[in-house]
Amino acid sequence: MREIDITQIDGFRIGHSENLEGGTGCTAILAPGGARAGVSVRGGGPATRETDLLNPEKMTQEVFGIMLSGGSAYGLDAASGLMQYLEERNTGFDVGMGVVPIVPAACLFDLVAGDFTCRPDREMGYAACIDSEKARDRLPLGNVGAGTGATIGKFLGPDRLMKSGLGAYALEIGELKIGAVVAVNALGDIFDTDTGEKIAGILEEDGCTLGDTSRIMWNDVMVDNNVFTGNTTIGCVITNAALTKAQCNKLADMAHDGYARTIKPVHTSADGDTIFFMAGGSLPEEVTINQDALGDLGAYVMAKAINSAVREAESAYGFKAARDLKGRL
Protein backbone atom coordinates (compact mmCIF):
# COMPACT_ATOMS: atom_id res chain seq x y z
CA MET A 1 0.00 0.00 0.00
CA ARG A 2 1.38 3.39 -0.94
CA GLU A 3 0.11 6.95 -1.06
CA ILE A 4 -0.41 8.42 -4.53
CA ASP A 5 -1.84 11.67 -5.81
CA ILE A 6 -5.51 11.49 -6.65
CA THR A 7 -4.69 12.55 -10.23
CA GLN A 8 -3.13 9.10 -10.75
CA ILE A 9 -6.47 7.27 -10.55
CA ASP A 10 -7.32 6.06 -14.05
CA GLY A 11 -10.52 7.23 -15.76
CA PHE A 12 -10.95 10.50 -13.88
CA ARG A 13 -9.92 14.13 -14.22
CA ILE A 14 -10.33 16.85 -11.59
CA GLY A 15 -10.29 20.59 -12.16
CA HIS A 16 -10.89 23.75 -10.15
CA SER A 17 -12.15 27.22 -10.83
CA GLU A 18 -12.54 30.00 -8.31
CA ASN A 19 -13.03 33.71 -7.71
CA LEU A 20 -10.62 34.54 -4.90
CA GLU A 21 -12.00 38.02 -4.38
CA GLY A 22 -15.55 36.70 -4.28
CA GLY A 23 -14.53 33.89 -1.95
CA THR A 24 -16.10 30.99 -3.82
CA GLY A 25 -15.37 28.34 -6.43
CA CYS A 26 -16.14 24.88 -7.76
CA THR A 27 -14.43 21.55 -8.40
CA ALA A 28 -15.36 19.32 -11.33
CA ILE A 29 -14.74 15.56 -11.18
CA LEU A 30 -14.96 14.19 -14.70
CA ALA A 31 -15.33 10.57 -15.79
CA PRO A 32 -15.18 10.92 -19.61
CA GLY A 33 -15.64 7.18 -20.12
CA GLY A 34 -18.53 6.99 -17.68
CA ALA A 35 -18.64 5.71 -14.12
CA ARG A 36 -21.08 3.98 -11.82
CA ALA A 37 -21.96 6.23 -8.92
CA GLY A 38 -23.83 6.40 -5.65
CA VAL A 39 -24.54 9.07 -3.05
CA SER A 40 -25.23 9.37 0.65
CA VAL A 41 -26.69 12.53 2.19
CA ARG A 42 -26.46 12.64 5.98
CA GLY A 43 -26.74 16.34 6.85
CA GLY A 44 -30.00 18.15 7.51
CA GLY A 45 -29.54 21.00 5.03
CA PRO A 46 -28.23 19.73 1.67
CA ALA A 47 -28.12 21.57 -1.65
CA THR A 48 -27.97 18.83 -4.30
CA ARG A 49 -28.87 18.01 -7.89
CA GLU A 50 -29.63 14.76 -9.78
CA THR A 51 -29.11 12.59 -6.70
CA ASP A 52 -32.36 10.70 -7.37
CA LEU A 53 -30.85 9.25 -10.54
CA LEU A 54 -28.18 7.53 -8.45
CA ASN A 55 -30.81 5.31 -6.84
CA PRO A 56 -30.17 1.75 -8.11
CA GLU A 57 -33.84 1.51 -9.13
CA LYS A 58 -33.48 4.37 -11.63
CA MET A 59 -32.73 3.73 -15.29
CA THR A 60 -29.50 5.63 -15.85
CA GLN A 61 -26.50 3.46 -15.06
CA GLU A 62 -23.60 5.88 -15.54
CA VAL A 63 -22.62 9.44 -14.75
CA PHE A 64 -19.94 11.39 -16.59
CA GLY A 65 -19.08 13.98 -14.00
CA ILE A 66 -19.87 15.36 -10.57
CA MET A 67 -19.71 18.99 -9.51
CA LEU A 68 -18.75 20.15 -6.03
CA SER A 69 -19.45 23.83 -5.57
CA GLY A 70 -19.64 26.76 -3.22
CA GLY A 71 -22.39 29.36 -3.42
CA SER A 72 -25.08 27.49 -1.48
CA ALA A 73 -28.06 26.55 -3.69
CA TYR A 74 -27.02 29.24 -6.18
CA GLY A 75 -23.89 27.19 -6.89
CA LEU A 76 -25.90 24.37 -8.44
CA ASP A 77 -25.71 26.40 -11.64
CA ALA A 78 -22.03 25.38 -11.95
CA ALA A 79 -23.16 21.90 -12.97
CA SER A 80 -24.59 23.42 -16.15
CA GLY A 81 -21.04 24.31 -17.18
CA LEU A 82 -19.99 20.69 -16.77
CA MET A 83 -23.02 19.60 -18.82
CA GLN A 84 -22.07 22.04 -21.57
CA TYR A 85 -18.46 20.80 -21.59
CA LEU A 86 -19.56 17.17 -21.88
CA GLU A 87 -22.21 17.84 -24.54
CA GLU A 88 -19.64 19.61 -26.70
CA ARG A 89 -17.66 16.37 -26.60
CA ASN A 90 -20.72 14.18 -27.30
CA THR A 91 -20.41 12.61 -23.87
CA GLY A 92 -23.55 11.65 -21.99
CA PHE A 93 -26.71 9.56 -22.04
CA ASP A 94 -27.68 8.89 -25.66
CA VAL A 95 -31.29 10.00 -26.24
CA GLY A 96 -31.30 9.36 -30.01
CA MET A 97 -30.96 12.98 -31.10
CA GLY A 98 -27.94 13.87 -29.02
CA VAL A 99 -26.71 13.25 -25.51
CA VAL A 100 -27.83 14.36 -22.06
CA PRO A 101 -24.84 14.39 -19.68
CA ILE A 102 -25.81 13.13 -16.23
CA VAL A 103 -24.13 15.48 -13.74
CA PRO A 104 -25.01 15.18 -10.05
CA ALA A 105 -23.88 18.05 -7.86
CA ALA A 106 -23.65 19.24 -4.26
CA CYS A 107 -23.00 22.70 -2.87
CA LEU A 108 -21.74 24.18 0.37
CA PHE A 109 -22.53 27.52 1.98
CA ASP A 110 -19.59 29.92 1.65
CA LEU A 111 -21.49 33.20 1.32
CA VAL A 112 -19.94 34.42 4.57
CA ALA A 113 -16.55 34.73 2.79
CA GLY A 114 -15.71 37.41 0.24
CA ASP A 115 -18.61 38.84 -1.77
CA PHE A 116 -22.06 37.45 -0.97
CA THR A 117 -23.25 38.19 -4.51
CA CYS A 118 -20.43 36.19 -6.15
CA ARG A 119 -21.50 32.57 -6.76
CA PRO A 120 -20.30 29.75 -9.02
CA ASP A 121 -22.19 29.74 -12.32
CA ARG A 122 -22.12 27.99 -15.70
CA GLU A 123 -18.98 29.84 -16.77
CA MET A 124 -17.10 28.92 -13.60
CA GLY A 125 -18.19 25.29 -13.91
CA TYR A 126 -17.00 25.17 -17.53
CA ALA A 127 -13.67 26.73 -16.52
CA ALA A 128 -13.17 23.97 -13.92
CA CYS A 129 -13.58 21.40 -16.71
CA ILE A 130 -10.97 23.15 -18.84
CA ASP A 131 -8.67 23.20 -15.81
CA SER A 132 -9.04 19.41 -15.53
CA GLU A 133 -7.27 19.06 -18.88
CA LYS A 134 -3.97 20.28 -17.42
CA ALA A 135 -1.22 17.71 -17.07
CA ARG A 136 0.02 17.82 -13.47
CA ASP A 137 1.55 15.59 -10.83
CA ARG A 138 -0.42 16.99 -7.91
CA LEU A 139 -3.93 18.35 -7.58
CA PRO A 140 -3.92 21.87 -6.10
CA LEU A 141 -5.37 21.85 -2.58
CA GLY A 142 -6.38 24.38 0.06
CA ASN A 143 -8.03 27.65 -0.95
CA VAL A 144 -9.05 26.39 -4.38
CA GLY A 145 -12.17 25.19 -6.15
CA ALA A 146 -15.08 24.29 -3.90
CA GLY A 147 -12.88 24.94 -0.86
CA THR A 148 -12.10 28.58 -1.71
CA GLY A 149 -14.51 30.05 0.83
CA ALA A 150 -14.84 27.04 3.14
CA THR A 151 -14.76 27.59 6.91
CA ILE A 152 -15.17 25.47 10.05
CA GLY A 153 -16.08 25.75 13.73
CA LYS A 154 -19.13 27.95 13.19
CA PHE A 155 -21.46 27.32 16.13
CA LEU A 156 -20.83 30.80 17.57
CA GLY A 157 -20.83 32.61 14.23
CA PRO A 158 -18.24 34.36 12.04
CA ASP A 159 -16.18 35.88 14.87
CA ARG A 160 -14.97 32.51 16.15
CA LEU A 161 -14.70 30.32 13.03
CA MET A 162 -11.58 29.29 11.09
CA LYS A 163 -10.59 28.98 7.44
CA SER A 164 -10.70 25.55 5.83
CA GLY A 165 -10.38 24.44 2.22
CA LEU A 166 -10.32 21.57 -0.25
CA GLY A 167 -8.36 18.40 0.42
CA ALA A 168 -7.55 15.10 -1.27
CA TYR A 169 -5.87 11.82 -0.43
CA ALA A 170 -5.38 8.60 -2.40
CA LEU A 171 -3.87 5.13 -2.05
CA GLU A 172 -2.69 2.37 -4.37
CA ILE A 173 -2.90 -1.26 -3.20
CA GLY A 174 -1.72 -3.61 -5.91
CA GLU A 175 -3.78 -2.71 -8.96
CA LEU A 176 -6.50 -1.01 -6.91
CA LYS A 177 -6.56 2.77 -6.62
CA ILE A 178 -8.90 4.74 -4.38
CA GLY A 179 -8.97 8.37 -3.30
CA ALA A 180 -11.16 11.14 -1.97
CA VAL A 181 -11.58 14.83 -2.69
CA VAL A 182 -13.54 16.95 -0.20
CA ALA A 183 -14.43 20.57 0.56
CA VAL A 184 -14.63 20.93 4.34
CA ASN A 185 -17.14 23.53 5.49
CA ALA A 186 -18.34 22.00 8.76
CA LEU A 187 -20.17 23.39 11.75
CA GLY A 188 -17.93 21.27 13.97
CA ASP A 189 -14.26 20.95 14.87
CA ILE A 190 -11.65 18.93 12.95
CA PHE A 191 -9.56 16.13 14.47
CA ASP A 192 -6.52 14.25 13.16
CA THR A 193 -7.78 10.82 12.09
CA ASP A 194 -4.56 9.08 13.15
CA THR A 195 -3.89 10.72 16.53
CA GLY A 196 -7.27 12.06 17.61
CA GLU A 197 -5.75 15.50 18.22
CA LYS A 198 -7.95 18.50 17.51
CA ILE A 199 -6.27 20.50 14.74
CA ALA A 200 -8.80 23.24 13.92
CA GLY A 201 -12.30 24.48 14.64
CA ILE A 202 -14.04 26.98 16.86
CA LEU A 203 -11.74 29.54 18.46
CA GLU A 204 -11.71 30.69 22.05
CA GLU A 205 -12.40 34.36 22.74
CA ASP A 206 -8.65 35.08 22.58
CA GLY A 207 -8.70 34.10 18.89
CA CYS A 208 -5.50 32.09 19.34
CA THR A 209 -6.54 28.81 20.94
CA LEU A 210 -9.09 26.16 20.04
CA GLY A 211 -12.39 25.81 21.84
CA ASP A 212 -14.68 22.78 21.97
CA THR A 213 -17.82 22.99 19.86
CA SER A 214 -19.39 19.89 21.41
CA ARG A 215 -18.94 21.19 24.97
CA ILE A 216 -20.33 24.59 24.01
CA MET A 217 -23.35 22.94 22.41
CA TRP A 218 -23.91 20.64 25.39
CA ASN A 219 -23.89 23.60 27.76
CA ASP A 220 -26.59 25.23 25.61
CA VAL A 221 -28.71 22.10 25.25
CA MET A 222 -31.62 23.78 27.06
CA VAL A 223 -31.42 26.87 24.85
CA ASP A 224 -32.98 26.97 21.38
CA ASN A 225 -30.13 28.82 19.72
CA ASN A 226 -30.37 30.30 16.25
CA VAL A 227 -27.37 28.32 15.01
CA PHE A 228 -25.26 29.80 12.25
CA THR A 229 -26.35 27.53 9.40
CA GLY A 230 -23.76 28.22 6.70
CA ASN A 231 -22.13 24.82 6.66
CA THR A 232 -21.89 21.50 4.73
CA THR A 233 -18.98 19.21 3.90
CA ILE A 234 -19.15 17.77 0.38
CA GLY A 235 -16.89 15.14 -1.11
CA CYS A 236 -16.42 12.30 -3.54
CA VAL A 237 -14.56 9.00 -3.36
CA ILE A 238 -13.25 7.69 -6.68
CA THR A 239 -11.80 4.28 -7.51
CA ASN A 240 -10.77 2.26 -10.54
CA ALA A 241 -12.73 -0.75 -9.25
CA ALA A 242 -15.71 -2.11 -11.20
CA LEU A 243 -18.86 -1.75 -9.08
CA THR A 244 -22.62 -1.60 -9.42
CA LYS A 245 -24.77 1.41 -8.56
CA ALA A 246 -26.04 -0.43 -5.50
CA GLN A 247 -22.49 -1.07 -4.31
CA CYS A 248 -21.54 2.57 -4.90
CA ASN A 249 -24.46 3.73 -2.77
CA LYS A 250 -23.50 1.41 0.09
CA LEU A 251 -19.87 2.51 -0.14
CA ALA A 252 -20.92 6.17 -0.09
CA ASP A 253 -22.72 5.38 3.18
CA MET A 254 -19.58 3.81 4.61
CA ALA A 255 -17.43 6.76 3.54
CA HIS A 256 -19.35 8.93 6.01
CA ASP A 257 -17.38 7.13 8.73
CA GLY A 258 -14.49 9.29 7.52
CA TYR A 259 -16.55 12.38 8.37
CA ALA A 260 -17.38 10.98 11.82
CA ARG A 261 -13.72 10.23 12.57
CA THR A 262 -12.57 13.77 11.85
CA ILE A 263 -15.52 16.18 12.29
CA LYS A 264 -17.22 16.62 15.67
CA PRO A 265 -20.12 17.18 15.85
CA VAL A 266 -21.05 15.96 12.37
CA HIS A 267 -24.24 15.49 10.32
CA THR A 268 -26.06 18.23 12.23
CA SER A 269 -29.29 19.85 11.09
CA ALA A 270 -27.19 22.85 10.07
CA ASP A 271 -24.93 20.76 7.79
CA GLY A 272 -25.77 19.31 4.38
CA ASP A 273 -23.09 16.63 4.47
CA THR A 274 -23.00 14.73 1.17
CA ILE A 275 -20.65 12.09 -0.26
CA PHE A 276 -20.59 10.69 -3.80
CA PHE A 277 -18.84 7.43 -4.67
CA MET A 278 -17.68 6.86 -8.26
CA ALA A 279 -16.29 3.64 -9.76
CA GLY A 280 -14.48 3.95 -13.08
CA GLY A 281 -14.23 0.22 -13.71
CA SER A 282 -10.80 0.20 -15.35
CA LEU A 283 -9.48 -2.45 -12.96
CA PRO A 284 -9.12 -5.81 -14.79
CA GLU A 285 -12.20 -8.01 -14.41
CA GLU A 286 -10.19 -10.90 -12.98
CA VAL A 287 -9.22 -8.73 -9.97
CA THR A 288 -11.71 -9.44 -7.17
CA ILE A 289 -12.55 -6.80 -4.56
CA ASN A 290 -13.82 -7.24 -1.01
CA GLN A 291 -16.63 -4.66 -0.82
CA ASP A 292 -16.41 -4.17 2.95
CA ALA A 293 -12.66 -3.65 2.83
CA LEU A 294 -13.14 -1.16 0.01
CA GLY A 295 -15.76 0.67 2.06
CA ASP A 296 -13.41 0.95 5.02
CA LEU A 297 -10.68 2.22 2.70
CA GLY A 298 -13.14 4.81 1.38
CA ALA A 299 -13.76 6.05 4.91
CA TYR A 300 -10.01 6.18 5.56
CA VAL A 301 -9.07 8.17 2.45
CA MET A 302 -12.00 10.53 3.12
CA ALA A 303 -10.78 11.16 6.68
CA LYS A 304 -7.24 11.82 5.43
CA ALA A 305 -8.60 14.14 2.73
CA ILE A 306 -10.51 16.12 5.38
CA ASN A 307 -7.31 16.53 7.36
CA SER A 308 -5.45 17.71 4.27
CA ALA A 309 -8.18 20.26 3.52
CA VAL A 310 -7.59 21.89 6.91
CA ARG A 311 -3.80 21.66 6.79
CA GLU A 312 -3.51 22.99 3.23
CA ALA A 313 -5.84 25.95 3.86
CA GLU A 314 -4.42 29.44 4.24
CA SER A 315 -5.87 32.34 6.20
CA ALA A 316 -8.23 34.49 4.12
CA TYR A 317 -11.24 36.81 4.40
CA GLY A 318 -10.18 37.69 7.94
CA PHE A 319 -10.29 34.03 9.09
CA LYS A 320 -7.30 32.21 10.60
CA ALA A 321 -6.18 28.82 9.30
CA ALA A 322 -4.75 25.86 11.21
CA ARG A 323 -1.25 26.75 10.07
CA ASP A 324 -1.59 30.03 12.00
CA LEU A 325 -2.00 28.18 15.30
CA LYS A 326 1.33 27.14 16.74
CA GLY A 327 1.88 23.39 16.84
CA ARG A 328 -1.32 22.49 14.99
CA LEU A 329 0.28 21.04 11.85
Side-chain angles (χ1 to χ4, degrees):
M1 182 171 72
R2 71 183 184 95
E3 181 181 350
I4 59 173
D5 193 79
I6 198 167
T7 58
Q8 295 176 246
I9 299 180
D10 309 323
F12 298 94
R13 302 202 318 262
I14 304 174
H16 303 307
S17 181
E18 59 276 322
N19 183 319
L20 294 177
E21 183 177 349
T24 193
C26 60
T27 297
I29 305 165
L30 286 76
R36 299 291 172 86
V39 66
S40 180
V41 181
R42 295 286 182 88
T48 55
R49 159 183 161 147
E50 296 278 46
T51 52
D52 282 351
L53 283 177
L54 301 183
N55 186 317
E57 297 178 352
K58 306 306 180 185
M59 178 180 63
T60 304
Q61 291 300 305
E62 291 183 316
V63 303
F64 300 92
I66 284 175
M67 180 64 73
L68 305 179
S69 177
S72 190
Y74 293 107
L76 291 171
D77 190 36
S80 298
L82 178 47
M83 282 192 73
Q84 177 185 342
Y85 178 90
L86 292 170
E87 183 185 24
E88 290 174 355
R89 289 151 182 81
N90 197 38
T91 299
F93 183 68
D94 188 351
V95 293
M97 59 201 74
V99 296
V100 177
I102 306 301
V103 180
C107 299
L108 56 80
F109 186 105
D110 57 6
L111 303 180
V112 69
D115 181 359
F116 174 86
T117 65
C118 181
R119 299 115 182 204
D121 54 15
R122 176 191 291 264
E123 289 72 24
M124 189 178 287
Y126 190 90
C129 298
I130 296 298
D131 182 67
S132 77
E133 298 174 355
K134 294 180 179 177
R136 49 193 168 203
D137 297 326
R138 183 177 185 272
L139 182 72
L141 304 177
N143 297 18
V144 296
T148 300
T151 50
I152 51 176
K154 294 182 274 192
F155 185 72
L156 294 178
D159 293 338
R160 302 274 287 274
L161 57 77
M162 289 183 66
K163 184 73 182 71
S164 182
L166 182 132
Y169 186 84
L171 291 172
E172 181 179 53
I173 305 174
E175 295 179 271
L176 174 72
K177 296 179 182 179
I178 184 171
V181 57
V182 62
V184 182
N185 192 60
L187 174 74
D189 304 323
I190 309 300
F191 294 76
D192 186 287
T193 188
D194 295 318
T195 67
E197 178 190 10
K198 185 182 298 182
I199 56 177
I202 199 166
L203 291 168
E204 294 284 10
E205 291 184 4
D206 62 10
C208 299
T209 54
L210 292 175
D212 188 327
T213 295
S214 291
R215 293 285 179 179
I216 295 170
M217 292 177 69
W218 297 348
N219 288 336
D220 285 346
V221 70
M222 302 298 291
V223 180
D224 187 14
N225 284 343
N226 181 17
V227 178
F228 180 72
T229 57
N231 311 299
T232 298
T233 297
I234 52 177
C236 183
V237 179
I238 61 175
T239 179
N240 64 344
L243 303 169
T244 65
K245 284 176 68 177
Q247 288 176 312
C248 287
N249 276 279
K250 176 57 180 174
L251 294 172
D253 271 343
M254 294 182 71
H256 273 282
D257 287 354
Y259 280 20
R261 294 170 189 171
T262 53
I263 304 172
K264 301 176 185 178
V266 71
H267 302 148
T268 73
S269 61
D271 287 287
D273 298 334
T274 300
I275 295 179
F276 297 99
F277 197 107
M278 301 175 73
S282 63
L283 199 63
E285 291 184 3
E286 62 270 17
V287 178
T288 59
I289 297 295
N290 181 309
Q291 177 179 318
D292 292 328
L294 187 63
D296 197 43
L297 278 167
Y300 179 72
V301 295
M302 180 58 74
K304 295 288 283 187
I306 289 169
N307 286 170
S308 79
V310 170
R311 290 188 165 112
E312 294 284 346
E314 298 180 3
S315 58
Y317 315 111
F319 306 134
K320 289 184 178 180
R323 63 179 61 207
D324 300 317
L325 303 181
K326 185 177 181 180
R328 290 296 164 184
L329 295 182

